[in-house]
């Protein structure tokens, strides 16, 4: 559950939802059509999800493109019973939107953002900046800080990175990530893959896979070629999943953390 430094803006519903108004201008587009154009969005945190979603006043949504869901999915969102399919340009996206049952959120519609669930819209923007995967949590910090710590990375006893000029990325709720200049990484021991991910705080990442011996998860190494401005110091640098490699910082071997990524890392 998120921590709120300014609880005066946060409301709680009987269903266990937390929500607060946002002052950001949010737009969602399907193809060339703007489906959501909201200057009065609210951020909603569901009890079992670590990240927020947006809900929008109906009058700021193209409801003419929504149809009652043919195959609604009750239980997918906290207490929600009303779901909508998005019909656009002869395409039907099932359960693209829904309403929360809370009286406080009556008259609001939420849309799917998570890629693993399928997203109703193609692009989302906060002000003029495109946002990926989910809305940014205003109570979360992401800081990228250049450092002179001595960082080494090992895979199966082989040193694959060694640097005195890392950039440390501190992100609320996750272990410190160590971003390393390419010249200090044995990139010849890795192969590029077509795997790509997006992050609302950092941008889009490309990946590499270990080509040596041993059972090592795929896509263990990544980089942001064009990171978002807030984390510009990591541009072009390389980072490893602490959960699956051995990292030594100033002579201290770090314990491998258990995070939401641990279960998804497969050899």
């Amino acid at each position: 559950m998120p921590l709120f430094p300014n609880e005066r803006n946060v409301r709680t519903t009987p269903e266990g939802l937390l929500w607060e108004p946002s002052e950001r201008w949010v737009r969602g587009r399907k193809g060339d059509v703007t489906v959501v154009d909201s200057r009065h969005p609210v951020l909603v945190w569901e009890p079992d999800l670590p990240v927020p979603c947006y809900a929008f006043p109906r009058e700021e949504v193209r409801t003419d493109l929504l149809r009652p869901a043919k195959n609604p999915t009750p239980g997918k969102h906290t207490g929600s019973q009303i779901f909508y399919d998005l019909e656009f340009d002869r395409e039907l996206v099932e359960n693209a939107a829904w309403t929360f049952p809370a009286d406080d959120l009556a008259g609001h519609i939420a849309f799917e953002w998570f890629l693993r669930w399928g997203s109703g819209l193609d692009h989302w923007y906060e002000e003029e900046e495109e946002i990926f995967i989910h809305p940014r949590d205003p109570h979360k910090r992401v800081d990228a800080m250049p450092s002179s710590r001595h960082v080494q990375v090992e895979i199966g006893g082989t040193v694959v990175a060694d640097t005195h000029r890392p950039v440390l990325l501190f992100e609320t709720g996750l272990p410190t990530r160590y971003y390393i200049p390419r010249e200090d990484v044995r990139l010849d021991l890795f192969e590029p893959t077509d795997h790509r991910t997006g992050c609302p705080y950092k941008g889009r990442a490309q990946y590499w896979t270990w080509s040596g011996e041993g059972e090592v998860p795929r896509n263990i190494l990544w980089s942001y070629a064009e990171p978002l401005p807030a984390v510009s110091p990591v541009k072009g640098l390389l980072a490893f999943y602490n959960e699956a490699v051995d990292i030594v910082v100033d002579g201290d071997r770090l314990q491998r953390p258990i995070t939401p990524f641990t279960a998804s890392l497969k050899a």
Side-chain angles (χ1 to χ4, degrees), residues 61-92:
V61 174
R62 284 284 305 274
T63 55
D64 60 302
L65 300 177
L66 300 180
R67 309 284 182 265
K70 294 181 178 180
N71 301 294
T73 53
K76 187 175 183 180
H77 294 284
T78 305
S80 297
Q81 300 293 323
I82 300 176
F83 290 80
Y84 298 97
D85 296 339
L86 174 68
E87 187 173 1
F88 173 78
D89 196 22
R90 298 183 181 181
E91 177 185 356
L92 185 70

Side-chain angles (χ1 to χ4, degrees), residues 24-248:
R24 301 188 183 196
W25 176 25
V26 180
R27 286 158 293 154
R29 302 181 67 182
K30 181 70 173 176
D32 295 329
V33 173
T34 298
V35 179
V36 176
D37 189 339
S38 179
R39 287 174 169 79
H40 307 92
V42 297
L43 283 162
V44 183
W45 287 263
E46 296 189 55
D48 297 326
L49 295 178
V51 297
C53 68
Y54 273 124
F56 309 99
R58 280 182 174 270
E59 57 270 23
E60 297 178 344
V61 174
R62 284 284 305 274
T63 55
D64 60 302
L65 300 177
L66 300 180
R67 309 284 182 265
K70 294 181 178 180
N71 301 294
T73 53
K76 187 175 183 180
H77 294 284
T78 305
S80 297
Q81 300 293 323
I82 300 176
F83 290 80
Y84 298 97
D85 296 339
L86 174 68
E87 187 173 1
F88 173 78
D89 196 22
R90 298 183 181 181
E91 177 185 356
L92 185 70
V93 182
E94 292 193 350
N95 298 301
W98 76 96
T99 63
F100 287 111
D103 291 340
D104 291 354
L105 298 173
H108 288 71
I109 297 176
F111 284 79
E112 293 287 10
W113 284 47
F114 290 93
L115 294 180
R116 64 188 177 93
W117 287 342
S119 175
L121 305 186
D122 298 328
H123 301 281
W124 287 97
Y125 301 87
E126 290 178 348
E127 301 300 332
E128 298 302 323
E129 188 171 296
E130 186 169 7
I131 304 300
F132 311 98
I133 309 300
H134 62 79
R136 292 171 178 165
D137 189 328
H139 308 289
K140 181 173 183 175
R141 287 190 63 93
V142 180
D143 297 306
M145 305 179 67
S147 175
S148 59
R149 296 194 194 194
H150 184 198
V151 176
Q152 295 175 299
V153 181
E154 300 176 3
I155 295 179
T158 299
V159 176
V160 297
D162 190 332
T163 189
H164 287 272
R165 47 183 184 152
V167 170
L168 275 55
L169 191 134
F170 301 94
E171 184 171 355
T172 304
L174 290 174
T176 302
R177 300 299 190 191
Y178 299 89
Y179 283 78
I180 301 172
R182 292 187 179 224
E183 309 90 89
D184 297 338
V185 177
R186 288 287 309 277
L187 203 53
D188 59 303
L189 300 177
F190 298 85
E191 298 176 352
T193 73
D194 59 3
H195 184 59
R196 299 290 186 271
T197 61
C199 172
Y201 305 101
K202 298 183 287 291
R204 295 189 180 276
Q206 60 187 114
Y207 287 77
W208 289 260
T209 284
W210 169 246
S211 60
E213 297 181 355
E215 294 188 2
V216 178
R218 289 184 55 78
N219 302 309
I220 197 72
L221 178 64
W222 73 87
S223 178
Y224 291 94
E226 297 294 336
L228 296 177
V231 293
S232 58
V234 307
K235 181 175 182 177
L237 305 188
L238 298 159
F240 294 82
Y241 277 109
N242 310 38
E243 297 88 339
V245 300
D246 295 311
I247 298 181
V248 180

